[in-house]
């Protein structure tokens, strides 16, 4: 059901102007388990190439008209943007289309979408793609750890940026009294919602099937497969079953493998255009990017980011939290997601309608773009209009954005 509101800001949100930044197509790959899922033997550039080709092919757009691409990527191979550029060229996008990668940790995909949207707003381009990709199979772990000077580490908050993410989750739980029982209940519901959505085929429209190869661990032979479904979703998960798992980070902690986001591989892409250009080219318009906001928070409790980013973006737009139909809040950890929802006083029923990262997975650079594809899909399926995406960001930040579905 669409939220009914008579506020002038809400009515303005639904208006259609020629200079709006609109979404023409938003697609994602399946999210697969790091090191053992469907993309365990697939490089991130190949997954990215498939979603880039997917978004322009789906709407029959001549790729020559794509002027710029921004790709969120937290763990780029070799530390550069070359792999993303190679992926775009492999996707059939000409060398005249520019590209950059961007890293704002877990919000990188949304940062990429925002960059392209702002270029359109500023009149620099008419059409572009904001995307995100991550292979945590190939990039995650000790290889990604930074080396920092001793002088910088003398600053306490600088040093706090190196706190393992799991410990920041424990800090949030301890500081704000988020019990293990509440976290496990939230995580179980994420699995239950995702399993139900998967069974009902609700993810199909947002996922582009990708043909790739996988090495069978039993035979060690390479076989061709089609990856077209999230393979981290588990059916039958309950708060009671999660309650049996041991804490992962401290002996007396409450964060464990079942109430934290999964280490995953995947990519997503959002094709954006100026409304007047999309109309002129006869492109479908599935939604509108309104605006986004970023905030900083203490690094030791980085997970609280959405609790402060969401009010900021709602203030920019001029609407209230109750005028938002639903929220996609990234589940880095149940502790921080629960805190954010409680702090904002949002009904849990409005959050992550088809489950979140605990059940689906969280390929770091991909998630911010993945949430847009998921949000637009949910809006169409449930006949809702206004939604917010948000996530916490490692090192202590939060980001949020407002979108309007035009299904």
């Amino acid at each position: 059901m669409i939220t009914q509101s008579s506020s002038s800001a809400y009515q303005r949100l639904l208006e259609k102007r020629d200079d709006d930044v609109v979404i023409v197509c938003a697609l994602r790959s399946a999210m697969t388990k790091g090191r053992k899922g469907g993309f365990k033997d697939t490089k991130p550039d190949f997954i990215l190439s498939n979603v880039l080709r997917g978004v322009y092919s789906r709407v029959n757009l001549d790729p020559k008209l794509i002027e710029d691409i921004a790709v969120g990527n937290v763990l780029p191979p070799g530390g550069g943007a070359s792999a993303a550029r190679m992926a775009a060229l492999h996707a059939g996008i000409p060398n005249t289309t520019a590209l950059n990668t961007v890293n704002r940790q877990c919000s990188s995909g949304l940062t990429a979408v925002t960059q392209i949207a702002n270029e359109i707003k500023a009149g620099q381009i008419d059409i572009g793609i904001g995307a995100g990709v991550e292979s945590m199979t190939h990039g995650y772990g000790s290889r990604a750890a930074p080396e920092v000077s001793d002088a910088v580490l003398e600053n306490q908050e600088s040093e706090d940026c190196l706190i393992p993410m799991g410990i920041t989750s424990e800090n949030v739980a301890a500081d704000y009294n988020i019990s293990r029982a509440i976290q496990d209940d939230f995580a179980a519901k994420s699995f239950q919602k995702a399993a139900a959505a998967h069974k009902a085929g609700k993810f199909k429209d947002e996922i582009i099937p990708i043909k790739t190869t996988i090495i069978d661990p039993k035979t060690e032979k390479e076989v061709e497969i089609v990856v077209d479904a999230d393979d981290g979703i588990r059916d039958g998960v309950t708060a009671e079953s999660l309650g049996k798992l041991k804490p992962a980070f401290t002996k007396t902690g409450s964060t464990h493998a079942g109430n934290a986001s999964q280490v995953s591989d995947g990519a997503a892409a959002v094709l954006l255009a100026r409304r007047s250009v999309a109309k002129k080219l006869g492109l479908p318009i599935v939604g509108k990017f309104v605006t986004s906001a970023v905030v900083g928070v203490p690094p030791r409790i980085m997970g609280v980011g959405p609790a402060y980013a969401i009010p900021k973006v709602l203030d920019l737009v001029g609407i209230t939290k109750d005028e938002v139909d639903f929220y996609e809040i990234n589940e880095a950890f149940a502790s921080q997601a629960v805190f954010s929802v409680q702090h904002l006083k949002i009904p849990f029923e409005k959050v992550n309608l088809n489950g979140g990262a605990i059940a689906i997975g969280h390929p770091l650079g991909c998630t911010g773009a993945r949430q847009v594809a998921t949000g637009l899909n949910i809006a169409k399926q449930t006949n809702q209009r206004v939604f917010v995406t948000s996530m916490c960001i490692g090192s202590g930040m939060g980001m949020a954005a407002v979108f309007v579905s035009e299904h």
Side-chain angles (χ1 to χ4, degrees):
M1 283 294 294
I2 299 172
T3 298
Q4 298 297 323
S5 176
S6 58
S7 81
S8 57
Y10 183 85
Q11 295 305 319
R12 268 199 311 276
L13 208 55
L14 302 183
E15 287 172 7
K16 297 174 182 177
R17 298 184 184 85
D18 277 352
D19 61 353
D20 286 337
V21 177
V22 297
I23 298 164
V24 170
C25 186
L27 293 171
R28 66 176 180 94
S29 72
M31 307 287 109
T32 69
K33 292 187 280 191
R35 300 193 181 97
K36 49 189 175 185
F39 289 134
K40 74 180 178 69
D41 301 307
T42 303
K43 294 291 191 290
D45 43 282
F46 184 75
I47 311 172
L48 176 62
S49 172
N50 275 270
V51 296
L52 292 176
R53 185 185 294 274
V55 282
Y56 77 76
S57 300
R58 185 72 61 96
V59 296
N60 297 313
L61 175 70
D62 183 346
K64 290 201 241 357
L65 298 175
I66 302 165
E67 293 165 277
D68 200 9
I69 301 170
V71 179
N73 188 204
V74 180
L75 308 165
S82 295
R85 171 74 167 156
M86 291 158 73
L89 296 167
H90 178 261
I93 297 168
N95 63 18
T96 48
T97 300
L99 178 142
N100 70 284
T101 56
V102 60
N103 179 1
R104 202 200 294 266
Q105 291 96 328
C106 305
S107 74
S108 299
L110 182 55
T111 300
V113 170
T114 295
Q115 178 196 314
I116 295 300
N118 287 342
E119 287 178 28
I120 293 169
K121 282 182 185 177
Q124 296 172 340
I125 65 170
D126 289 330
I127 300 172
I129 297 174
V133 64
E134 210 70 63
S135 171
M136 295 179 77
T137 294
H138 295 287
Y140 187 60
S142 58
R143 288 167 292 177
E147 291 182 16
V148 184
S149 76
D150 292 339
V152 167
L153 289 175
E154 286 172 13
N155 178 286
Q156 183 59 57
E157 286 206 306
S158 298
E159 188 180 21
D160 287 349
C161 292
L162 296 180
I163 295 172
M165 292 296 98
I167 300 299
T168 70
S169 171
E170 295 293 0
N171 290 343
V172 172
D175 285 11
Y176 299 103
N177 299 312
I178 312 293
S179 71
R180 164 87 186 243
I182 290 171
Q183 292 175 60
D184 287 353
D185 182 64
F186 179 86
K189 286 190 170 83
S190 182
F191 277 109
Q192 290 159 10
K193 288 184 285 187
H198 172 66
K199 272 185 190 166
K202 289 183 178 177
F203 293 123
K204 276 197 167 69
D205 288 349
E206 67 195 65
I207 294 176
I208 183 154
I210 295 177
K211 189 184 284 187
T212 186
T213 57
I214 194 167
I215 296 165
D216 187 317
K218 289 176 185 167
T219 63
E220 294 186 356
K221 285 184 180 167
E222 191 174 81
V223 291
E224 194 172 85
I225 60 167
V226 174
V227 180
D228 60 1
D230 305 316
D231 62 24
I233 297 172
R234 298 201 304 274
D235 202 2
V237 176
T238 64
E240 290 71 32
S241 67
L242 294 178
K244 295 171 186 167
L245 298 176
K246 288 181 180 173
F249 301 100
T250 66
K251 283 182 182 175
T252 58
S254 56
T255 302
H256 55 79
N259 65 18
S261 57
Q262 298 181 31
V263 171
S264 313
D265 305 330
V270 182
L271 179 59
L272 301 135
R274 182 173 291 102
R275 188 186 294 277
S276 57
V277 173
K279 286 199 296 192
K280 186 173 151 193
L281 293 171
L283 297 169
I285 294 172
V286 295
K288 175 169 74 171
F289 171 92
V290 183
T291 195
S292 68
V294 285
V295 297
V297 298
R300 64 174 292 279
I301 49 168
M302 67 90 205
V304 304
Y308 301 96
I310 290 172
K312 184 174 180 181
V313 80
L314 294 180
D315 282 347
L316 289 174
V317 179
I319 60 171
T320 69
K321 66 179 190 290
D322 299 322
E323 290 176 307
V324 177
D325 291 314
F326 65 92
Y327 294 81
E328 278 287 313
I329 299 177
N330 190 43
E331 301 166 354
F333 300 96
S335 61
Q336 58 76 216
V338 168
F339 167 78
S340 297
V341 175
Q342 288 181 343
H343 180 84
L344 293 165
K345 296 182 171 61
I346 302 168
F348 278 93
E349 298 74 39
K350 273 190 168 189
V351 179
N352 302 348
L353 273 59
N354 287 347
I358 287 170
I360 297 167
H362 175 31
L364 305 174
C366 161
T367 291
R370 193 274 301 167
Q371 288 179 314
V372 182
T374 301
L376 288 166
N377 193 25
I378 288 171
K380 186 177 180 184
Q381 289 168 355
T382 58
N383 191 29
Q384 299 187 90
R385 286 280 171 240
V386 180
F387 67 95
V388 165
T389 67
S390 186
M391 68 287 292
C392 61
I393 301 168
S395 76
M397 290 174 276
M399 189 168 188
V402 177
F403 297 89
V404 179
S405 175
E406 296 189 9
H407 59 273

